[in-house]
Amino acid sequence: MRIINNGMCHFSAHAGWPLFPVLVFLACFLLSAIIPPFQSPDEFDHVKRAYFLTRGQVILDTPTGKSSGGMMDTGLAAYMNAYGRLPFDPDRKLSAAELDEANNIRWTGDQEFSPAPGTGYYFPLIYVPQATGLIIGEMLGLSVNGSYRLARFVVLASASLILSIAFMIHRPSPLAAALLVLPMSFFQLSSASLDGISTAGAILIISVFMRMAIDKELTKPWLLYVLTASVIVVVSCRIHLLPLVLLIFGTVFFTRRKSGLIAGGIASISIMLWLTVAFKTTIDIRVVTGFPVSGIIQHYLPNPLSFVRVLLATLADEELLRFYGQSFLGILGWLDAPFPEDVYTGLYALVVLTALFSTSFKHIEEEWPARLLLVCCALGASLLVFFALLVSWSVHPASIIKGVQGRYFMVPALLVAYALEGGSRAESRLFIGPLLLAALFLFSAFNTTSLLLMRYYLSAEQPEMAKFEMRASLPATSGGSLALSLDQKQMYGPSALKRIAIMFGTFRRKNPGLAELRLRTGEGEVLVIPFDLSDLVDNQYKWFDLDPRPYISGEIVFLSGGGISLWQVHREGGPVTSCLIYEASNGGKRYTRGCPR
């Protein structure tokens, strides 16, 4: 801070702003420990696209009758299936057993085709952070969960680094920073989805443009290179941000350098070339609009008034407007975790107050061209959001536009935030703006954490706890047998088992003799594994390697010797189950409930 002649406190040009992304990083890092995998909308497909990139796949494959996709490790597919039960079911919570089973899934090396609808249009360079985490995790021998968590970390670290660079190039206003600490922003930055990197990249674009508009003829040449590369990467994966290309052309007005025209042309051609290739090679059969997308576009382009009528009808719907506002602030998960109304009220109030103390028209006469261009880009991007969803998500002919979410307007909102702030002078607002930002940060982080715990882990009511009692079976005798009582899941929805562990009781003695583990599949196939009874340890699990088949029953047959028991769990009013550990062929582990883990 510094003191100027009027005695009022102001923040210096960049004081603290490059460190602000560090605070965002720490908050999101903690939230990522709470948020289960794949809970950001379409995150399944984004992670698939990143995995395809690790295999060198830039253009997706398009088998007949399927959406475009690629070959994916079956371990990753199993990991996705483990968390695929959560979306759209707010009452579904995670148990420790489910987490154990999912977190132990390994990379298998086996490949199967998996579609990734909607991602073939995105230039894959944007997925480098996710791909980096996945490939490093796989090379280090981490589980699929460990690799996924590493991918999340690399995405968050990369986005935070980009934001720090952007804030050093041009400091943001408290309003622009406030948009980054909304619950929706926290949630998306904490995921392995695309929003975190694309939003950070957009802020870098705006920051570079503002710096060039301020420095004018003194602009460093490298800024134009950064601006052009960032626009190509961001716009080629976020088509509705196509108006950002205008910022490159706009630099000509400020710097008086024709290189801006060349850079703008290069960016435009690069983006159009990629989109042409992507649209020709990608098939997306997620949504049935009734007509091909190209045909719907050809309907509206010559008839812009038809688009305007549908747009006005959409904006006249009060429920939709309410949804846009709430989903901009934050409806978390797959739009299945809304906040209470009072939280939205608090978020609205803090954002509006921050905006009031962040807006400045002090130097409007010299800054209006840059500000106007930012607002025009925001308006154009917003219109493209509606148009894109009209032609790709709404049944044709449409009366209203479906599929629009508030988070799609994050970058347009950031453009407006920078336009309101101006910034050709080093000084910023009075301390009240950053103070409101700090209040919003704490309010948002607290309520986001509370909602995530409620959504994914806490039941609405305390479940009735079944009573479990561990008992040892009667000791076996020579020539006798002990039946293995598998759990209901293995009997009626069997997994292919790579290993199984059985908990034996030897009564603290060595028991000489031989026995066989016999396991049966539903088709009647039998696997026989002989073992020495003297190798057993009292009250410990013994592992048996299996050939990966879906076994549904088994027994221990004692060829010689005896005096061995199996530990079992007796559940009140339920079946008796042997204490077993099931390890599936993909590495996932499951434990008998009530037995030692």
Side-chain angles (χ1 to χ4, degrees):
M1 297 179 65
R2 61 187 175 90
I3 305 295
I4 60 176
N5 292 335
N6 62 8
M8 300 185 70
C9 293
H10 291 259
F11 285 82
S12 61
H14 293 281
W17 283 119
L19 295 177
F20 176 76
V22 176
L23 296 177
V24 174
F25 170 85
L26 293 174
C28 293
F29 181 74
L30 295 176
L31 288 174
S32 69
I34 301 174
I35 302 171
F38 308 113
Q39 296 315 300
S40 172
D42 300 322
E43 188 178 351
F44 291 104
D45 297 320
H46 289 304
V47 173
K48 290 180 186 179
R49 188 75 163 99
Y51 177 81
F52 300 152
L53 185 60
T54 68
R55 296 309 187 259
Q57 188 172 6
V58 175
I59 304 296
L60 299 186
D61 298 328
T62 307
T64 304
K66 294 183 179 181
S67 289
S68 298
M71 300 301 292
M72 188 174 71
D73 191 284
T74 56
L76 179 57
Y79 183 69
M80 290 183 174
N81 290 336
Y83 290 100
R85 298 184 290 267
L86 285 173
F88 309 117
D89 188 357
D91 294 328
R92 189 76 165 79
K93 311 299 178 183
L94 281 170
S95 67
E98 289 173 319
L99 290 173
D100 267 338
E101 185 175 0
N103 293 349
N104 282 289
I105 294 174
R106 315 295 301 185
W107 298 100
T108 65
D110 298 327
Q111 304 280 314
E112 63 181 14
F113 180 81
S114 184
T119 64
Y121 309 112
Y122 302 150
F123 189 59
L125 189 61
I126 197 77
Y127 290 105
V128 167
Q130 292 95 326
T132 300
L134 291 176
I135 199 167
I136 292 176
E138 194 172 0
M139 290 173 61
L140 293 177
L142 301 181
S143 65
V144 178
N145 177 70
S147 303
Y148 169 83
R149 296 287 178 177
L150 184 57
R152 261 193 187 181
F153 176 81
V154 176
V155 170
L156 176 57
S158 301
S160 302
L161 179 60
I162 294 171
L163 289 175
S164 294
I165 294 171
F167 289 177
M168 287 189 286
I169 292 173
H170 176 77
R171 62 148 181 81
S173 69
L175 176 59
L179 297 177
L180 292 175
V181 299
L182 294 175
M184 195 76 248
S185 298
F186 275 153
F187 187 77
Q188 292 299 94
L189 280 166
S190 303
S191 77
S193 191
L194 207 59
D195 281 13
I197 288 291
S198 60
T199 299
I203 291 176
L204 179 61
I205 291 170
I206 301 170
S207 298
V208 172
F209 170 76
M210 291 300 294
R211 176 49 50 200
M212 297 179 74
I214 292 168
D215 291 349
K216 296 182 171 58
E217 291 86 352
L218 299 177
T219 294
K220 304 292 184 182
W222 62 268
L223 286 172
L224 181 60
Y225 305 147
V226 173
L227 179 62
T228 304
S230 301
V231 168
I232 292 173
V233 172
V234 172
V235 175
S236 60
C237 73
R238 287 288 187 251
I239 301 174
H240 69 281
L241 299 180
L242 191 60
L244 292 181
V245 175
L246 295 176
L247 297 181
I248 304 178
F249 289 108
T251 61
V252 177
F253 176 82
F254 303 106
T255 64
R256 309 297 180 183
R257 298 174 188 169
K258 294 183 180 179
S259 55
L261 295 176
I262 299 174
I266 292 173
S268 301
I269 293 172
S270 300
I271 294 167
M272 289 301 109
L273 282 175
W274 166 253
L275 293 179
T276 300
V277 171
F279 276 102
K280 283 188 175 182
T281 58
T282 301
I283 292 180
D284 182 359
I285 56 175
R286 273 190 310 183
V287 182
V288 178
T289 59
F291 289 86
V293 172
S294 58
I296 302 176
I297 293 175
Q298 291 173 9
H299 168 79
Y300 284 107
L301 286 183
N303 302 286
L305 288 180
S306 298
F307 167 63
V308 173
R309 283 193 290 269
V310 179
L311 176 62
L312 292 177
T314 303
L315 296 178
D317 190 311
E318 293 184 3
E319 282 300 314
L320 281 178
L321 289 180
R322 182 170 174 270
F323 170 74
Y324 295 159
Q326 292 186 349
S327 58
F328 178 82
L329 297 174
I331 300 180
L332 307 186
W334 287 68
L335 298 179
D336 55 13
F339 287 97
E341 287 294 333
D342 59 333
V343 174
Y344 288 117
T345 301
L347 291 170
Y348 279 125
L350 287 169
V351 170
V352 170
L353 288 173
T354 304
L356 291 176
F357 286 96
S358 301
T359 303
S360 172
F361 298 102
K362 185 176 181 180
H363 306 288
I364 189 66
E365 291 184 3
E366 58 187 279
E367 295 173 351
W368 70 266
R371 297 195 191 202
L372 180 61
L373 186 54
L374 291 176
V375 171
C376 289
C377 288
L379 179 61
S382 299
L383 291 175
L384 280 177
V385 167
F386 285 103
F387 186 77
L389 272 299
L390 174 63
V391 301
S392 65
W393 202 268
S394 306
V395 176
H396 184 72
S399 56
I400 61 172
I401 302 172
K402 296 182 178 180
V404 178
Q405 300 177 30
R407 65 186 177 93
Y408 299 159
F409 300 100
M410 175 54 66
V411 174
L414 285 165
L415 288 163
V416 172
Y418 276 86
L420 292 176
E421 186 266 345
S424 67
R425 298 294 185 268
E427 66 266 16
S428 66
R429 300 318 121 230
L430 297 176
F431 70 91
I432 194 167
L435 188 63
L436 287 167
L437 173 61
L440 178 60
F441 183 99
L442 296 175
F443 184 80
S444 178
F446 177 83
N447 285 285
T448 300
T449 304
S450 300
L451 178 63
L452 292 172
L453 291 174
M454 182 65 70
R455 166 61 183 88
Y456 294 111
Y457 303 101
L458 302 180
S459 300
E461 297 179 359
Q462 184 70 28
E464 291 187 12
M465 301 300 293
K467 293 182 179 180
F468 294 92
E469 183 182 356
M470 278 187 62
R471 301 178 196 165
S473 67
L474 293 175
T477 58
S478 178
S481 66
L482 294 174
L484 286 180
S485 300
L486 279 60
D487 62 17
Q488 301 290 310
K489 183 174 182 179
Q490 188 63 30
M491 286 193 293
Y492 300 110
S495 303
L497 298 178
K498 180 173 66 175
R499 294 199 303 164
I500 193 169
I502 305 172
M503 189 176 182
F504 290 97
T506 68
F507 303 94
R508 299 183 181 180
R509 61 176 179 252
K510 288 290 184 179
N511 295 273
L514 295 174
E516 291 178 345
L517 168 63
R518 298 179 183 178
L519 295 172
R520 294 178 180 83
T521 66
E523 291 74 31
E525 299 172 305
V526 179
L527 174 67
V528 178
I529 303 175
F531 63 98
D532 195 325
L533 297 181
S534 63
D535 293 334
L536 302 180
V537 180
D538 193 29
N539 303 332
Q540 298 294 322
Y541 287 98
K542 177 176 175 57
W543 282 99
F544 295 88
D545 293 324
L546 314 177
D547 54 350
R549 285 187 286 180
Y551 298 103
I552 62 171
S553 65
E555 62 178 344
I556 305 291
V557 177
F558 294 85
L559 304 179
S560 63
I564 302 294
S565 292
L566 296 180
W567 279 103
Q568 302 170 327
V569 168
H570 294 250
R571 180 178 179 180
E572 185 178 22
V576 175
T577 310
S578 300
C579 286
L580 305 173
I581 303 175
Y582 308 85
E583 183 172 334
S585 57
N586 57 31
K589 288 182 181 178
R590 191 173 73 255
Y591 301 78
T592 299
R593 190 178 179 188
C595 294
R597 300 171 68 80

